[in-house]
Amino acid sequence: MNLDLDRLLTLSNLNGVPGREDAVRDFVLGELEGLADEVRVDAMGNVIAFRAGREEGGEPSHDDTPGSKKERVMLSAHMDEIGFLVRYIDDKGFLRVQALGGFDPRNLFARNVTVQTRTATLPGILTPGGRPIHISSQEDRKKVPELREFFIDLGLDAEEVRRQVRVGDMVTLDQQARRMGDLVVGKALDDRASVFMQLEVLRRLKGRPRHDVYAVFSTQEEIGLRGAVTAAYSVQPTVGVALDVTLAVDTPGVGPDEAVTRAGEGIGVKVYDSSMVSTRWLVDVFADLAEARGIRYQLEVLGQGGTDGAAIQRSRDGVPTVTLSLPTRYIHSVVEAVHVKDLQAGIELLLAYLE
C-alpha cells in the first residue's frame, strides 16, 4: 500500500488546540470532496461525513449474530492537539498560559511557540521562570517546574503585546514534521495520524460499504472527548470505532511489560483503557479479521488514557464500541513518532471491516 505521507506531514504542521480546530477542519473539508454522500459541520465544529451502505435486498434477516445486519457505523478521529490558551498578560508583556491537555513539563523547556491572535501570528519562546544554568544552584537544576511557572516571551514591549494579544488566544508548539527512517515524526500526530488514516479509508473505499458509515472528525477530545459526545448523540450509531494513538514505549529505560504496544508490529486493537472496556465481540471481530487477512495487529491494554470510543460507547442507551490504536512513540511531545507499517495496517483492517 502506497501512502501519500505529504498529507500527513501537512496535517501535523497545522495548528489547532481544543476549540480552535479551524485550520484542520478546513483541510479535512477540502480532502473530503468527492469522498462522501453528505458532509456537515455541527455546532461543536465536528465534521461528519456520511457514506451510505449497500442496499439490502430480499427478505429481512432474522440472524442476530453480531455483525450480521447492516449497521450505522460511527468512526471518530479527533482534530485537536494539546496546546495552550493565553490566560494572563503581566505588566512587562510576558504571557502566562492555560494548558489544554496533558503536558509533561520536562518536554517544554525553551520551546518555540506560535501565538495566534485575531489578526496576526506571533512567534514566541515558552520557558519556565528562574535562573539560567550559569547562576543556578544544584537544587535549582534538580527541580522540574510546574506548568504555572512557564511564560511566553514575544520580544515585544508590554504596550504592543496588549495591543495585539488578548486572553483566550491560541498557543501551539512549533515543530515541522518529517520522515525519519520508517517513522513519521512531528507534533500533533495525536491524533492527526488517525485523521489521515480515516481520510485514506474513505479514499480507498470502493463503491458502497457493507454498512452506513459516519466518519466523524471530532473536536475537543484532549479536554474531555467533548466533540464526540455530541456527534454520537446526533449520529445514533449502532457500532462505534474510534481511531486514536496509543503508547509505544518500546524504547530504552522501560521494561517490555510496560511497552503497551511496539512500533512497526501492527495496529492496536484496544481491549481496555481507563475510559472504556472495548466491547468484546467487536475486539474478536477485528482480531479475527486481521488474522484472516494477514494484517498485523496487537491487542492493547492501556492503564491510563481515553479516546472518543468512550464517548460513543456511553451515548444514549449504549453502543458496542472498539478503538483502533496507532502505536506512537513519545506521545504528548513535539516528536511523536508513528511507523508507516502501522498506518498501513490500520487502514487495511478498517477497510476490511467496512467492506
Side-chain angles (χ1 to χ4, degrees), residues 150-171:
F150 283 77
F151 67 92
I152 294 174
D153 185 349
L154 293 176
L156 301 171
D157 63 44
E159 183 178 349
E160 184 63 17
V161 172
R162 289 197 189 91
R163 189 183 72 81
Q164 294 201 52
V165 180
R166 68 176 179 177
V167 169
D169 284 343
M170 174 173 73
V171 181

Side-chain angles (χ1 to χ4, degrees), residues 184-333:
V184 176
V185 181
K187 74 171 184 68
L189 292 180
D190 174 9
D191 194 29
R192 308 283 168 71
S194 297
V195 169
F196 171 79
M197 286 200 303
Q198 193 161 277
L199 286 168
E200 284 300 305
V201 166
L202 293 176
R203 204 182 318 277
R204 294 164 187 271
L205 197 55
K206 303 302 181 184
R208 292 295 178 192
R210 169 73 178 82
H211 307 289
D212 286 343
V213 177
Y214 295 81
V216 176
F217 301 85
S218 68
T219 59
Q220 301 189 40
E221 188 272 354
E222 293 289 359
I223 55 171
L225 319 179
R226 299 178 185 184
V229 167
T230 60
Y233 188 89
S234 170
V235 168
Q236 301 182 53
T238 59
V239 169
V241 183
L243 281 69
D244 211 327
V245 299
T246 191
L247 299 181
V249 198
D250 53 343
T251 49
V254 180
D257 62 311
E258 294 182 284
V260 183
T261 63
R262 291 164 178 79
E265 295 191 11
I267 191 69
V269 178
K270 186 179 294 292
V271 175
Y272 167 89
D273 64 29
S274 58
S275 71
M276 67 177 277
V277 178
S278 292
T279 303
R280 187 68 210 187
W281 69 259
L282 266 177
V283 172
D284 292 342
V285 164
F286 277 90
D288 292 348
L289 189 54
E291 291 177 11
R293 299 290 182 93
I295 300 168
R296 297 195 75 183
Y297 77 100
Q298 311 172 59
L299 293 176
E300 175 227 355
V301 173
L302 180 64
Q304 295 291 326
T307 75
D308 281 349
I312 302 170
Q313 190 180 56
R314 299 178 201 176
S315 180
R316 293 183 181 262
D317 55 354
V319 180
T321 303
V322 70
T323 296
L324 296 185
S325 303
L326 183 65
T328 306
R329 292 176 181 166
Y330 323 120
I331 279 183
H332 281 204
S333 77

